[in-house]
Amino acid sequence: MIISSLLAAEGLAQLGCSLGAGIAVIGAGLGIGKIGSSAMDAIARQPEASGKIQTNMILTSAFVEGCALFAIVACAFLI
């Protein structure tokens, strides 16, 4: 009885960690999509500033990816 409830709790913990990692990836995808969309709008409005906009876009995308990767690794360690 006790062992089966411990195994069920462990399964629920793994499910929660997997859902957390999935939500982190979805959030990162949405964030990078928004960054790209905004950068393209900005470049269309001021083409002469495209170099600075592109540099900032890549840097911000890297930060978003880093946060998502950190969340995935944290979830993996909890499993």
Side-chain angles (χ1 to χ4, degrees):
M1 177 78 180
I2 295 174
I3 295 175
S4 64
S5 40
L6 285 176
L7 290 175
E10 183 179 338
L12 288 175
Q14 290 176 350
L15 177 66
C17 289
S18 301
L19 286 173
I23 290 170
V25 170
I26 290 171
L30 291 173
I32 291 174
K34 178 68 174 159
I35 292 167
S37 171
S38 298
M40 293 300 110
D41 287 342
I43 290 172
R45 291 180 186 183
Q46 289 188 335
E48 66 274 1
S50 64
K52 291 179 82 174
I53 293 169
Q54 188 175 17
T55 302
N56 288 332
M57 178 188 71
I58 291 171
L59 185 63
T60 307
S61 296
F63 286 145
V64 171
E65 278 294 321
C67 290
L69 184 63
F70 179 74
I72 292 170
V73 169
C75 289
F77 279 140
L78 290 176
I79 292 177

